Amino acid sequence: MPTRISDSFRPHHSQKHFDLNSIKELPESHAWTSSNDHYTQENSCNFESIPVIDLDNNNNNNNNILDHIGHACKKWGAFQIINHSISERLLQDIDVAGKTLFSLPMQQKLKAARSPDGVTGYGAAQISSLFSKLMWSEGFTIVGSPIEHARQLWPKDYKKFCEVIEEYEKEMEKLAGRLMWLILGSLGITKDEVKWAVGPKGETKEGCAALQLNSYPACPDPGRAMGLAAHTDSTILTILHQNNTSGLQVYQEGNGWVTVPPIPGALVVNVGDLLHILSNGSYPSVLHRAVVNRTRHRLSVAYLYGPPTGVRVSPLSKLLDHRHPPLYRAVTWSEYLGTKAKYFDKALSSVRLCVPLSGFADAKDHNGVQVG
Ligand SMILES: C=C1C[C@]23C[C@H]1CC[C@H]2[C@@]12CCC[C@@](C)(C(=O)O1)[C@H]2[C@@H]3C(=O)O
Ligand SMILES: O=C(O)CCC(=O)C(=O)O
Ligand SMILES: [Fe+2]
């Protein structure tokens, strides 16, 4: 059983590295058909997209914010936030850091390649190994300090990159903690009901996190390519910054794929699988993907936020009673990442408890796991 998040994803096969910036015609290896993806390429013609929520208490009182957040989590599993306290300057800096990294020559980027049994470094998204077609993207995953990989990329000149990444991680950590309490607050949960998330002085404990930089070069045949295949994040929540190019889509039952338009300075918040578990299914994790386009290079930065190492998360007891038995068993983050690497879109149902119709009393001593 893996114990750290860095032990969890082990790719099934090593991949050739394509330099997507120089390819003039879509290779067969990157041409997706509906049989490669469980969900259609068709976009919804719905003009409504995920809600935009103002986090400034002066514009929006706290109860209002909680109502909006609760509604967004139930209906969409995602929302955008404005006035979130992350400066425009830092968002620009992280864009520049990402661009600088991805525009390095391939042989240089490969010096920081993710090792076959590792999580951090340069390469295709971890889930790539689960698909027969390759995605039109490249990624760089960071957990904690980026210094080791940064030194491999820029032996003499790695400081600036590290400073920006570390500042971004620090600011995101604070914002993620705040968002987690707002989301839990919208379920009526207070700090004293989530012991693992609170330190001795009442402060929010540092969670674990990964930072994922994604680059989607302009693509000669965007209709047949896939930037990042449909997935849910194995997190409590994810905070996503997209540069001013659209590509992110969320799936809504009955509506199909809905584009999340980039709003300058706004950030996207996704409900992840662990929040799905904590909320006992009230806030379902959002299925999302990234599509690509013909003319513009797109960059996104995802802050994947989870509980501290070793903590087992399970449906919050305040949400449970005889009519609402726990639907999921307790899991640590690293255990769940291992489950995701193995079962992918069946990971959540693989940790679902079989709840007899008679309810909670029976479910408590029933730990059967239903897979599939
Ligand atoms: C902490 C995490 C969460 C990971 C695995 C590990 C590091 C990188 C994350 C992502 C980022 C890109 C999408 C995803 C689906 C992927 O392929 O790698 C994510 C995955 C998950 O949310 O499951
Ligand atoms: O690029 C995007 O908009 C999506 C990225 C994403 O889903 C991820 O990194 O988990
Ligand atoms: Fe994602």
PDB file of all heavy atoms in Angstrom, residues 303-330:
ATOM      1  N   TYR A 303      -3.757  23.404  -8.696  1.00  0.00           N
ATOM      2  CA  TYR A 303      -3.284  23.149  -7.333  1.00  0.00           C
ATOM      3  C   TYR A 303      -4.188  22.073  -6.762  1.00  0.00           C
ATOM      4  O   TYR A 303      -5.372  22.296  -6.519  1.00  0.00           O
ATOM      5  CB  TYR A 303      -3.355  24.429  -6.501  1.00  0.00           C
ATOM      6  CG  TYR A 303      -2.824  24.267  -5.092  1.00  0.00           C
ATOM      7  CD1 TYR A 303      -1.452  24.258  -4.841  1.00  0.00           C
ATOM      8  CD2 TYR A 303      -3.693  24.137  -4.009  1.00  0.00           C
ATOM      9  CE1 TYR A 303      -0.955  24.112  -3.551  1.00  0.00           C
ATOM     10  CE2 TYR A 303      -3.203  24.001  -2.716  1.00  0.00           C
ATOM     11  CZ  TYR A 303      -1.832  23.989  -2.499  1.00  0.00           C
ATOM     12  OH  TYR A 303      -1.350  23.850  -1.216  1.00  0.00           O
ATOM     13  N   LEU A 304      -3.630  20.873  -6.617  1.00  0.00           N
ATOM     14  CA  LEU A 304      -4.432  19.711  -6.206  1.00  0.00           C
ATOM     15  C   LEU A 304      -4.283  19.538  -4.696  1.00  0.00           C
ATOM     16  O   LEU A 304      -3.201  19.207  -4.198  1.00  0.00           O
ATOM     17  CB  LEU A 304      -3.950  18.475  -6.972  1.00  0.00           C
ATOM     18  CG  LEU A 304      -4.078  18.653  -8.497  1.00  0.00           C
ATOM     19  CD1 LEU A 304      -2.771  18.351  -9.217  1.00  0.00           C
ATOM     20  CD2 LEU A 304      -5.205  17.803  -9.056  1.00  0.00           C
ATOM     21  N   TYR A 305      -5.356  19.803  -3.970  1.00  0.00           N
ATOM     22  CA  TYR A 305      -5.307  19.896  -2.514  1.00  0.00           C
ATOM     23  C   TYR A 305      -5.961  18.688  -1.860  1.00  0.00           C
ATOM     24  O   TYR A 305      -7.091  18.312  -2.196  1.00  0.00           O
ATOM     25  CB  TYR A 305      -6.031  21.178  -2.104  1.00  0.00           C
ATOM     26  CG  TYR A 305      -6.049  21.469  -0.625  1.00  0.00           C
ATOM     27  CD1 TYR A 305      -4.890  21.859   0.049  1.00  0.00           C
ATOM     28  CD2 TYR A 305      -7.237  21.389   0.100  1.00  0.00           C
ATOM     29  CE1 TYR A 305      -4.914  22.154   1.405  1.00  0.00           C
ATOM     30  CE2 TYR A 305      -7.273  21.684   1.456  1.00  0.00           C
ATOM     31  CZ  TYR A 305      -6.098  22.064   2.100  1.00  0.00           C
ATOM     32  OH  TYR A 305      -6.135  22.365   3.439  1.00  0.00           O
ATOM     33  N   GLY A 306      -5.237  18.087  -0.921  1.00  0.00           N
ATOM     34  CA  GLY A 306      -5.777  16.919  -0.212  1.00  0.00           C
ATOM     35  C   GLY A 306      -5.496  16.994   1.275  1.00  0.00           C
ATOM     36  O   GLY A 306      -4.880  17.955   1.743  1.00  0.00           O
ATOM     37  N   PRO A 307      -5.933  16.001   2.024  1.00  0.00           N
ATOM     38  CA  PRO A 307      -5.725  15.992   3.477  1.00  0.00           C
ATOM     39  C   PRO A 307      -4.272  15.691   3.827  1.00  0.00           C
ATOM     40  O   PRO A 307      -3.529  15.173   3.001  1.00  0.00           O
ATOM     41  CB  PRO A 307      -6.638  14.854   3.938  1.00  0.00           C
ATOM     42  CG  PRO A 307      -6.754  13.950   2.759  1.00  0.00           C
ATOM     43  CD  PRO A 307      -6.638  14.808   1.544  1.00  0.00           C
ATOM     44  N   PRO A 308      -3.852  15.970   5.091  1.00  0.00           N
ATOM     45  CA  PRO A 308      -2.483  15.647   5.501  1.00  0.00           C
ATOM     46  C   PRO A 308      -2.221  14.142   5.369  1.00  0.00           C
ATOM     47  O   PRO A 308      -3.152  13.340   5.467  1.00  0.00           O
ATOM     48  CB  PRO A 308      -2.454  16.047   6.984  1.00  0.00           C
ATOM     49  CG  PRO A 308      -3.614  16.953   7.202  1.00  0.00           C
ATOM     50  CD  PRO A 308      -4.636  16.580   6.175  1.00  0.00           C
ATOM     51  N   THR A 309      -0.953  13.807   5.148  1.00  0.00           N
ATOM     52  CA  THR A 309      -0.544  12.399   5.016  1.00  0.00           C
ATOM     53  C   THR A 309      -1.038  11.565   6.202  1.00  0.00           C
ATOM     54  O   THR A 309      -0.948  12.004   7.339  1.00  0.00           O
ATOM     55  CB  THR A 309       1.002  12.289   5.031  1.00  0.00           C
ATOM     56  OG1 THR A 309       1.520  13.341   4.241  1.00  0.00           O
ATOM     57  CG2 THR A 309       1.482  10.954   4.489  1.00  0.00           C
ATOM     58  N   GLY A 310      -1.535  10.404   5.919  1.00  0.00           N
ATOM     59  CA  GLY A 310      -1.905   9.481   6.997  1.00  0.00           C
ATOM     60  C   GLY A 310      -3.331   9.651   7.500  1.00  0.00           C
ATOM     61  O   GLY A 310      -3.867   8.758   8.142  1.00  0.00           O
ATOM     62  N   VAL A 311      -3.948  10.796   7.209  1.00  0.00           N
ATOM     63  CA  VAL A 311      -5.320  11.018   7.681  1.00  0.00           C
ATOM     64  C   VAL A 311      -6.299  10.194   6.849  1.00  0.00           C
ATOM     65  O   VAL A 311      -6.221  10.181   5.625  1.00  0.00           O
ATOM     66  CB  VAL A 311      -5.692  12.519   7.579  1.00  0.00           C
ATOM     67  CG1 VAL A 311      -7.192  12.724   7.723  1.00  0.00           C
ATOM     68  CG2 VAL A 311      -4.941  13.324   8.617  1.00  0.00           C
ATOM     69  N   ARG A 312      -7.191   9.501   7.540  1.00  0.00           N
ATOM     70  CA  ARG A 312      -8.218   8.743   6.815  1.00  0.00           C
ATOM     71  C   ARG A 312      -9.464   9.596   6.732  1.00  0.00           C
ATOM     72  O   ARG A 312     -10.005  10.020   7.755  1.00  0.00           O
ATOM     73  CB  ARG A 312      -8.509   7.425   7.525  1.00  0.00           C
ATOM     74  CG  ARG A 312      -7.251   6.567   7.682  1.00  0.00           C
ATOM     75  CD  ARG A 312      -7.529   5.306   8.458  1.00  0.00           C
ATOM     76  NE  ARG A 312      -8.127   4.294   7.589  1.00  0.00           N
ATOM     77  CZ  ARG A 312      -9.013   3.401   7.998  1.00  0.00           C
ATOM     78  NH1 ARG A 312      -9.445   3.426   9.239  1.00  0.00           N
ATOM     79  NH2 ARG A 312      -9.490   2.507   7.162  1.00  0.00           N
ATOM     80  N   VAL A 313      -9.903   9.883   5.526  1.00  0.00           N
ATOM     81  CA  VAL A 313     -11.128  10.678   5.387  1.00  0.00           C
ATOM     82  C   VAL A 313     -12.305   9.752   5.117  1.00  0.00           C
ATOM     83  O   VAL A 313     -12.195   8.762   4.396  1.00  0.00           O
ATOM     84  CB  VAL A 313     -11.026  11.762   4.285  1.00  0.00           C
ATOM     85  CG1 VAL A 313      -9.925  12.758   4.581  1.00  0.00           C
ATOM     86  CG2 VAL A 313     -10.826  11.162   2.922  1.00  0.00           C
ATOM     87  N   SER A 314     -13.424  10.098   5.725  1.00  0.00           N
ATOM     88  CA  SER A 314     -14.647   9.308   5.556  1.00  0.00           C
ATOM     89  C   SER A 314     -15.825  10.278   5.663  1.00  0.00           C
ATOM     90  O   SER A 314     -15.645  11.425   6.068  1.00  0.00           O
ATOM     91  CB  SER A 314     -14.721   8.224   6.627  1.00  0.00           C
ATOM     92  OG  SER A 314     -14.592   8.805   7.895  1.00  0.00           O
ATOM     93  N   PRO A 315     -17.021   9.845   5.301  1.00  0.00           N
ATOM     94  CA  PRO A 315     -18.173  10.741   5.368  1.00  0.00           C
ATOM     95  C   PRO A 315     -18.283  11.390   6.758  1.00  0.00           C
ATOM     96  O   PRO A 315     -18.138  10.705   7.777  1.00  0.00           O
ATOM     97  CB  PRO A 315     -19.349   9.804   5.086  1.00  0.00           C
ATOM     98  CG  PRO A 315     -18.755   8.748   4.204  1.00  0.00           C
ATOM     99  CD  PRO A 315     -17.370   8.530   4.746  1.00  0.00           C
ATOM    100  N   LEU A 316     -18.475  12.710   6.804  1.00  0.00           N
ATOM    101  CA  LEU A 316     -18.488  13.447   8.069  1.00  0.00           C
ATOM    102  C   LEU A 316     -19.689  13.013   8.915  1.00  0.00           C
ATOM    103  O   LEU A 316     -20.825  12.975   8.420  1.00  0.00           O
ATOM    104  CB  LEU A 316     -18.545  14.949   7.786  1.00  0.00           C
ATOM    105  CG  LEU A 316     -17.266  15.478   7.105  1.00  0.00           C
ATOM    106  CD1 LEU A 316     -17.510  16.821   6.436  1.00  0.00           C
ATOM    107  CD2 LEU A 316     -16.130  15.562   8.123  1.00  0.00           C
ATOM    108  N   SER A 317     -19.407  12.706  10.194  1.00  0.00           N
ATOM    109  CA  SER A 317     -20.458  12.072  11.007  1.00  0.00           C
ATOM    110  C   SER A 317     -21.688  12.960  11.156  1.00  0.00           C
ATOM    111  O   SER A 317     -22.801  12.460  11.278  1.00  0.00           O
ATOM    112  CB  SER A 317     -19.909  11.646  12.361  1.00  0.00           C
ATOM    113  OG  SER A 317     -19.277  12.742  12.948  1.00  0.00           O
ATOM    114  N   LYS A 318     -21.491  14.282  11.115  1.00  0.00           N
ATOM    115  CA  LYS A 318     -22.648  15.166  11.256  1.00  0.00           C
ATOM    116  C   LYS A 318     -23.673  14.998  10.123  1.00  0.00           C
ATOM    117  O   LYS A 318     -24.836  15.341  10.259  1.00  0.00           O
ATOM    118  CB  LYS A 318     -22.163  16.614  11.286  1.00  0.00           C
ATOM    119  CG  LYS A 318     -23.265  17.558  11.711  1.00  0.00           C
ATOM    120  CD  LYS A 318     -22.782  18.925  12.033  1.00  0.00           C
ATOM    121  CE  LYS A 318     -23.898  19.768  12.605  1.00  0.00           C
ATOM    122  NZ  LYS A 318     -23.500  21.183  12.592  1.00  0.00           N
ATOM    123  N   LEU A 319     -23.202  14.465   8.985  1.00  0.00           N
ATOM    124  CA  LEU A 319     -24.108  14.327   7.831  1.00  0.00           C
ATOM    125  C   LEU A 319     -24.838  12.979   7.835  1.00  0.00           C
ATOM    126  O   LEU A 319     -25.609  12.693   6.930  1.00  0.00           O
ATOM    127  CB  LEU A 319     -23.305  14.471   6.531  1.00  0.00           C
ATOM    128  CG  LEU A 319     -22.484  15.757   6.404  1.00  0.00           C
ATOM    129  CD1 LEU A 319     -21.657  15.737   5.132  1.00  0.00           C
ATOM    130  CD2 LEU A 319     -23.412  16.974   6.426  1.00  0.00           C
ATOM    131  N   LEU A 320     -24.533  12.158   8.866  1.00  0.00           N
ATOM    132  CA  LEU A 320     -25.075  10.788   8.861  1.00  0.00           C
ATOM    133  C   LEU A 320     -26.178  10.608   9.900  1.00  0.00           C
ATOM    134  O   LEU A 320     -26.114  11.186  10.979  1.00  0.00           O
ATOM    135  CB  LEU A 320     -23.947   9.791   9.155  1.00  0.00           C
ATOM    136  CG  LEU A 320     -22.684   9.934   8.285  1.00  0.00           C
ATOM    137  CD1 LEU A 320     -21.616   8.964   8.745  1.00  0.00           C
ATOM    138  CD2 LEU A 320     -23.017   9.714   6.805  1.00  0.00           C
ATOM    139  N   ASP A 321     -27.165   9.859   9.558  1.00  0.00           N
ATOM    140  CA  ASP A 321     -28.171   9.424  10.531  1.00  0.00           C
ATOM    141  C   ASP A 321     -28.827   8.164   9.972  1.00  0.00           C
ATOM    142  O   ASP A 321     -28.313   7.586   9.005  1.00  0.00           O
ATOM    143  CB  ASP A 321     -29.203  10.540  10.827  1.00  0.00           C
ATOM    144  CG  ASP A 321     -29.945  10.990   9.573  1.00  0.00           C
ATOM    145  OD1 ASP A 321     -30.163  10.148   8.668  1.00  0.00           O
ATOM    146  OD2 ASP A 321     -30.304  12.178   9.479  1.00  0.00           O
ATOM    147  N   HIS A 322     -29.936   7.748  10.580  1.00  0.00           N
ATOM    148  CA  HIS A 322     -30.536   6.489  10.127  1.00  0.00           C
ATOM    149  C   HIS A 322     -30.941   6.513   8.672  1.00  0.00           C
ATOM    150  O   HIS A 322     -30.884   5.506   7.987  1.00  0.00           O
ATOM    151  CB  HIS A 322     -31.736   6.137  11.010  1.00  0.00           C
ATOM    152  CG  HIS A 322     -31.287   5.553  12.297  1.00  0.00           C
ATOM    153  ND1 HIS A 322     -30.751   6.314  13.315  1.00  0.00           N
ATOM    154  CD2 HIS A 322     -31.223   4.269  12.705  1.00  0.00           C
ATOM    155  CE1 HIS A 322     -30.396   5.526  14.300  1.00  0.00           C
ATOM    156  NE2 HIS A 322     -30.674   4.276  13.965  1.00  0.00           N
ATOM    157  N   ARG A 323     -31.364   7.679   8.236  1.00  0.00           N
ATOM    158  CA  ARG A 323     -31.782   7.754   6.833  1.00  0.00           C
ATOM    159  C   ARG A 323     -30.613   8.044   5.897  1.00  0.00           C
ATOM    160  O   ARG A 323     -30.749   7.957   4.680  1.00  0.00           O
ATOM    161  CB  ARG A 323     -32.885   8.807   6.680  1.00  0.00           C
ATOM    162  CG  ARG A 323     -34.241   8.277   7.188  1.00  0.00           C
ATOM    163  CD  ARG A 323     -35.340   9.302   7.035  1.00  0.00           C
ATOM    164  NE  ARG A 323     -34.964  10.550   7.713  1.00  0.00           N
ATOM    165  CZ  ARG A 323     -34.905  11.742   7.137  1.00  0.00           C
ATOM    166  NH1 ARG A 323     -35.184  11.871   5.865  1.00  0.00           N
ATOM    167  NH2 ARG A 323     -34.558  12.809   7.834  1.00  0.00           N
ATOM    168  N   HIS A 324     -29.475   8.456   6.448  1.00  0.00           N
ATOM    169  CA  HIS A 324     -28.300   8.766   5.623  1.00  0.00           C
ATOM    170  C   HIS A 324     -27.097   7.981   6.116  1.00  0.00           C
ATOM    171  O   HIS A 324     -26.227   8.526   6.804  1.00  0.00           O
ATOM    172  CB  HIS A 324     -28.005  10.273   5.666  1.00  0.00           C
ATOM    173  CG  HIS A 324     -29.151  11.113   5.217  1.00  0.00           C
ATOM    174  ND1 HIS A 324     -30.083  11.638   6.090  1.00  0.00           N
ATOM    175  CD2 HIS A 324     -29.546  11.478   3.981  1.00  0.00           C
ATOM    176  CE1 HIS A 324     -30.995  12.314   5.405  1.00  0.00           C
ATOM    177  NE2 HIS A 324     -30.699  12.233   4.120  1.00  0.00           N
ATOM    178  N   PRO A 325     -27.039   6.705   5.797  1.00  0.00           N
ATOM    179  CA  PRO A 325     -25.895   5.889   6.217  1.00  0.00           C
ATOM    180  C   PRO A 325     -24.648   6.278   5.423  1.00  0.00           C
ATOM    181  O   PRO A 325     -24.767   6.855   4.337  1.00  0.00           O
ATOM    182  CB  PRO A 325     -26.341   4.468   5.856  1.00  0.00           C
ATOM    183  CG  PRO A 325     -27.323   4.635   4.763  1.00  0.00           C
ATOM    184  CD  PRO A 325     -28.019   5.944   4.998  1.00  0.00           C
ATOM    185  N   PRO A 326     -23.450   5.994   5.973  1.00  0.00           N
ATOM    186  CA  PRO A 326     -22.223   6.325   5.235  1.00  0.00           C
ATOM    187  C   PRO A 326     -22.152   5.519   3.938  1.00  0.00           C
ATOM    188  O   PRO A 326     -22.377   4.315   3.952  1.00  0.00           O
ATOM    189  CB  PRO A 326     -21.100   5.916   6.192  1.00  0.00           C
ATOM    190  CG  PRO A 326     -21.718   4.937   7.126  1.00  0.00           C
ATOM    191  CD  PRO A 326     -23.173   5.276   7.233  1.00  0.00           C
ATOM    192  N   LEU A 327     -21.838   6.198   2.858  1.00  0.00           N
ATOM    193  CA  LEU A 327     -21.812   5.527   1.557  1.00  0.00           C
ATOM    194  C   LEU A 327     -20.405   5.105   1.140  1.00  0.00           C
ATOM    195  O   LEU A 327     -20.234   4.363   0.177  1.00  0.00           O
ATOM    196  CB  LEU A 327     -22.396   6.448   0.482  1.00  0.00           C
ATOM    197  CG  LEU A 327     -23.865   6.857   0.682  1.00  0.00           C
ATOM    198  CD1 LEU A 327     -24.304   7.833  -0.404  1.00  0.00           C
ATOM    199  CD2 LEU A 327     -24.769   5.630   0.679  1.00  0.00           C
ATOM    200  N   TYR A 328     -19.382   5.639   1.845  1.00  0.00           N
ATOM    201  CA  TYR A 328     -17.995   5.325   1.463  1.00  0.00           C
ATOM    202  C   TYR A 328     -17.203   4.929   2.690  1.00  0.00           C
ATOM    203  O   TYR A 328     -17.469   5.411   3.791  1.00  0.00           O
ATOM    204  CB  TYR A 328     -17.345   6.551   0.793  1.00  0.00           C
ATOM    205  CG  TYR A 328     -18.099   6.948  -0.451  1.00  0.00           C
ATOM    206  CD1 TYR A 328     -19.117   7.898  -0.403  1.00  0.00           C
ATOM    207  CD2 TYR A 328     -17.844   6.312  -1.667  1.00  0.00           C
ATOM    208  CE1 TYR A 328     -19.858   8.223  -1.538  1.00  0.00           C
ATOM    209  CE2 TYR A 328     -18.571   6.628  -2.803  1.00  0.00           C
ATOM    210  CZ  TYR A 328     -19.571   7.585  -2.733  1.00  0.00           C
ATOM    211  OH  TYR A 328     -20.289   7.871  -3.853  1.00  0.00           O
ATOM    212  N   ARG A 329     -16.201   4.080   2.477  1.00  0.00           N
ATOM    213  CA  ARG A 329     -15.332   3.706   3.597  1.00  0.00           C
ATOM    214  C   ARG A 329     -14.210   4.735   3.722  1.00  0.00           C
ATOM    215  O   ARG A 329     -13.985   5.535   2.813  1.00  0.00           O
ATOM    216  CB  ARG A 329     -14.788   2.295   3.392  1.00  0.00           C
ATOM    217  CG  ARG A 329     -13.818   2.158   2.247  1.00  0.00           C
ATOM    218  CD  ARG A 329     -13.243   0.739   2.227  1.00  0.00           C
ATOM    219  NE  ARG A 329     -12.399   0.524   1.069  1.00  0.00           N
ATOM    220  CZ  ARG A 329     -11.094   0.811   1.044  1.00  0.00           C
ATOM    221  NH1 ARG A 329     -10.510   1.347   2.095  1.00  0.00           N
ATOM    222  NH2 ARG A 329     -10.392   0.565  -0.047  1.00  0.00           N
ATOM    223  N   ALA A 330     -13.504   4.690   4.864  1.00  0.00           N
ATOM    224  CA  ALA A 330     -12.413   5.639   5.111  1.00  0.00           C
ATOM    225  C   ALA A 330     -11.206   5.318   4.233  1.00  0.00           C
ATOM    226  O   ALA A 330     -10.865   4.149   4.056  1.00  0.00           O
ATOM    227  CB  ALA A 330     -12.017   5.597   6.579  1.00  0.00           C
TER     228      ALA A 330
END
